[in-house]
Amino acid sequence: AQSVTQPDIHITVSEGASLELRCNYSYGATPYLFWYVQSPGQGLQLLLKYFSGDTLVQGIKGFEAEFKRSQSSFNLRKPSVHWSDAAEYFCAVSTDNYGQNFVFGPGTRLSVLP
Amino acid sequence: DAGVTQSPTHLIKTRGQQVTLRCSPKSGHDTVSWYQQALGQGPQFIFQYYEEEERQRGNFPDRFSGHQFPNYSSELNVNALLLGDSALYLCASSLASVGANYGYTFGSGTRLTVV
């Protein structure tokens, strides 16, 4: 069965600093890959997704992610973090064409220092 | 355009009781999926409903059951509640013709506390 790991439980960065959140997956083929963000008391919002093609994908709010097949990774990056980016970030994989089998990672909590 | 609506937002139940959570999908969506998010963890897939039938199920016991109505809204029922059922329950809607891979729309969830 597929699985998703996010090695960092909690990350703290200063406002304006760059950010990279790590995600690794375990699956025999290339899955569909996603990053979602969850603000306190809110549901999850899709930041970006990768299906195929260009391995660097752009998302909303200035986020981007890079798929590296050789490392089974899909790391999320942002060049300059804003205080409003403080939230929980979840990496997820789907292994079928219709998303009937979604698996989320445990999440990384991002804190932003003023 | 209304997003996904879940009710109630918070709920406290006693062990052994039964609970029903409700979800109205985003306008135009026809598929509803339910997730359980325990504190400090990622969401775990419970099941998915389409055309009023359970189409896919995660690794959850039969105490968890659901229903989808003709208007695409859905209910999640949990019987014989355990303390470990305390979690945030998220509903996510999608359109079957394109699939959840093109993006779930999530509700804000129902926070269930079992005491």
Side-chain angles (χ1 to χ4, degrees):
Chain A
Q2 68 273 20
S3 65
V4 179
T5 56
Q6 295 179 247
D8 305 304
I9 297 173
H10 184 204
I11 285 182
T12 300
V13 301
S14 297
E15 191 169 19
S18 63
L19 170 71
E20 182 169 26
L21 302 182
R22 296 181 291 164
C23 171
N24 293 94
Y25 66 89
S26 173
Y27 182 59
T30 299
Y32 300 95
L33 297 159
F34 307 83
W35 276 98
Y36 280 84
V37 60
Q38 185 178 36
S39 298
Q42 301 297 314
L44 282 75
Q45 181 185 22
L46 179 66
L47 286 175
L48 48 79
K49 57 183 181 283
Y50 173 78
F51 289 176
S52 64
D54 192 347
T55 57
L56 185 64
V57 294
Q58 304 296 320
I60 62 172
K61 305 185 179 186
F63 285 93
E64 66 178 26
E66 185 172 13
F67 168 61
K68 292 186 177 180
R69 185 190 308 273
S70 61
Q71 299 177 18
S72 297
S73 69
F74 188 55
N75 293 349
L76 181 71
R77 301 194 294 248
K78 187 170 185 177
S80 178
V81 171
H82 188 263
W83 64 266
S84 61
D85 293 325
E88 189 91 20
Y89 290 80
F90 294 95
C91 181
V93 304
S94 166
T95 58
D96 65 83
N97 292 334
Y98 289 91
Q100 291 187 46
N101 200 3
F102 250 77
V103 175
F104 284 87
T108 296
R109 184 160 61 94
L110 174 65
S111 297
V112 181
L113 299 175
Chain B
D1 184 18
V4 175
T5 304
Q6 291 188 245
S7 63
T9 55
H10 294 84
L11 202 54
I12 299 176
K13 288 287 189 178
T14 303
R15 273 180 300 174
Q17 285 188 317
Q18 179 265 345
V19 68
T20 297
L21 311 181
R22 295 176 176 81
C23 171
S24 293
K26 179 180 178 179
S27 178
H29 284 183
D30 55 11
T31 302
V32 173
S33 302
W34 287 92
Y35 285 82
Q36 180 195 66
Q37 186 178 13
L39 199 61
Q41 297 183 23
Q44 286 195 300
F45 176 71
I46 303 175
F47 42 53
Q48 183 181 82
Y49 276 84
Y50 171 66
E51 292 188 330
E52 303 179 48
E53 291 189 358
E54 184 181 292
R55 188 161 71 167
Q56 185 96 356
R57 188 179 183 92
N59 188 26
F60 279 80
D62 292 345
R63 298 188 297 109
F64 290 77
S65 63
H67 189 78
Q68 186 180 34
F69 299 93
N71 67 352
Y72 308 119
S73 66
S74 177
E75 289 182 348
L76 164 66
N77 300 293
V78 187
N79 295 322
L81 284 167
L82 304 173
L83 295 179
D85 295 331
S86 295
L88 180 68
Y89 288 85
L90 294 167
C91 171
S93 71
S94 55
L95 186 61
S97 59
V98 296
N101 285 344
Y102 285 88
Y104 277 123
T105 298
F106 279 87
S108 298
T110 294
R111 173 71 63 187
L112 172 65
T113 302
V114 181
V115 298

